[in-house]
Amino acid sequence: MFPKTFANLLSPHRRCQVAPRQGLAPFGIAGIAVLLLAAPAPAFAVTALVPHRAVYDLQLQDATEQSGISNMYGRMVYEFNGSACAGYTVSFRFVTKVDSGEEVRTTDQQTTTFEDPHGSFRFLTRSFTDDKLEKEVRGTAQETDKGLAVDLAAPQKRAIELTRALFPTEHMLDVIERARKGEKLFEARVFDGSDSGDKSMLTTTVIGAEQKAGADGQDRDADKAGTLAKSPYWPVTIAYFEDHSVGDTTPTYRMTFKLYENGVTRDLTLDYGDFVLTGKLAKLDLFKQDDCKTEQK
């Protein structure tokens, strides 16, 4: 979404080639019968998202034999800055140690994005394995009357036209606004520049009833949320599907997390199908919120 966002957001590279999708990171119900495109919120106008840096400790919860993973752990750092009038910047780093039983590798994905209030999105992702650059994805996306125009500079230069999709912060705002209204289920198409930056994903979001810390008896990272520790949150699950999927499909990736009204997330579960990671909030720093002043005409 994390926004895919929280989004966002993460795609499996199996057998010790594990790298995440971005987003709040980025976040399910298999089988989308009808795609309901979410209408974008007008230029980040409603919800105040708080600038912050969140650090998550990652642990392997489960892995199939097919995954080739015997153990996995790491750390994710997600930094969110900006304002509704100036746009939002996300810096995201996801580092893991992956043990196959025969060797241990270090994967490191570094992503930065900028989403402005005028319908454009810049993205850059560099993926490393054992300090060696394996892949770079860089480009821009712009909303148009026909949909979404993507201009890729790497891994290879090309222009792509896609169906209209939400950008990560748009999606986060949409989830929060729908949660406020009591909506429990909705679907949307999201573009975050992940993978090769040339496609959008279909998402199904399930929003649970508002809760407070300790209500489920297993709020192990609530104390790391600082001033938010006693604030209400929504349990959210977002499942990501390949676009153009038909029939009863299985999500490519599923994320479950606890979402505060200001966009902060904690208690993550990242399900890649062949393996599942948990992400517990280890540290949270809240930054000063920029004033968003409307220009006088």
Side-chain angles (χ1 to χ4, degrees):
M1 124 169 208
F2 176 134
K4 193 180 174 192
T5 40
F6 234 21
N8 180 72
L9 10 146
L10 303 172
S11 67
H13 292 210
R14 295 173 183 166
R15 302 192 184 283
C16 300
Q17 296 292 326
V18 181
R21 295 183 63 87
Q22 130 189 356
L24 290 275
F27 273 359
I29 295 178
I32 300 180
V34 179
L35 174 62
L36 303 177
L37 288 178
F44 314 138
V46 180
T47 299
L49 301 179
V50 64
H52 66 281
R53 181 190 297 113
V55 180
Y56 304 89
D57 286 333
L58 306 173
Q59 292 287 338
L60 182 67
Q61 183 181 81
D62 191 25
T64 66
E65 184 176 348
Q66 184 182 359
S67 71
I69 299 172
S70 63
N71 192 23
M72 184 176 178
Y73 62 92
R75 175 159 282 195
M76 180 170 66
V77 180
Y78 176 87
E79 185 166 327
F80 182 88
N81 286 289
S83 67
C85 43
Y88 293 105
T89 300
V90 170
S91 298
F92 174 90
R93 189 171 185 184
F94 192 110
V95 180
T96 58
K97 293 281 189 180
V98 188
D99 186 352
S100 68
E102 299 178 354
E103 62 177 340
V104 178
R105 286 182 150 182
T106 301
T107 68
D108 183 356
Q109 177 170 305
Q110 303 170 20
T111 295
T112 58
T113 66
F114 175 72
E115 187 174 341
D116 80 7
H118 307 296
S120 69
F121 180 66
R122 298 197 306 265
F123 54 94
L124 169 63
T125 295
R126 292 190 174 101
S127 300
F128 299 82
T129 301
D130 294 335
D131 296 323
K132 179 182 177 182
L133 180 63
E134 298 283 350
K135 186 177 183 181
E136 178 176 315
V137 178
R138 176 164 43 94
T140 61
Q142 178 67 53
E143 294 175 3
T144 68
D145 292 339
K146 295 181 179 180
L148 203 63
V150 180
D151 187 7
L152 277 176
Q156 59 183 11
K157 188 173 179 59
R158 57 183 175 136
I160 305 161
E161 295 291 334
L162 299 175
T163 302
R164 172 71 176 99
L166 298 179
F167 296 136
T169 301
E170 280 186 296
H171 191 215
M172 170 66 87
L173 290 168
D174 199 26
V175 171
I176 294 171
E177 288 305 310
R178 289 173 182 270
R180 283 172 168 170
K181 295 174 182 177
E183 295 187 32
K184 303 302 182 185
L185 174 68
F186 75 96
E187 297 167 349
R189 179 182 277 110
V190 175
F191 177 87
D192 65 2
S194 59
D195 294 337
S196 295
D198 58 357
K199 63 182 178 181
S200 57
M201 299 287 287
L202 305 183
T203 67
T204 297
T205 300
V206 179
I207 306 170
E210 188 177 78
Q211 300 178 15
K212 287 191 175 181
D216 59 5
Q218 297 181 346
D219 244 348
R220 290 179 293 174
D221 62 352
D223 60 329
K224 302 296 184 180
T227 57
L228 296 176
K230 296 183 179 180
S231 298
Y233 62 83
W234 297 283
V236 177
T237 297
I238 304 178
Y240 294 87
F241 301 81
E242 293 291 339
D243 206 345
H244 310 303
S245 297
V246 294
D248 187 17
T249 59
T250 300
T252 300
Y253 165 74
R254 181 184 293 136
M255 173 182 281
T256 300
F257 54 96
K258 293 172 180 174
L259 172 65
Y260 292 102
E261 189 175 32
N262 60 7
V264 173
T265 60
R266 65 176 179 85
D267 197 8
L268 318 177
T269 300
L270 317 177
D271 186 346
Y272 299 89
D274 283 348
F275 64 97
V276 180
L277 295 175
T278 60
K280 296 300 180 183
L281 185 65
K283 185 179 181 182
L284 176 66
D285 296 313
L286 301 180
F287 304 142
K288 181 180 178 181
Q289 201 151 12
D290 294 337
D291 291 332
C292 194
K293 298 178 180 179
T294 303
E295 293 185 4
Q296 296 296 323
K297 295 185 178 181

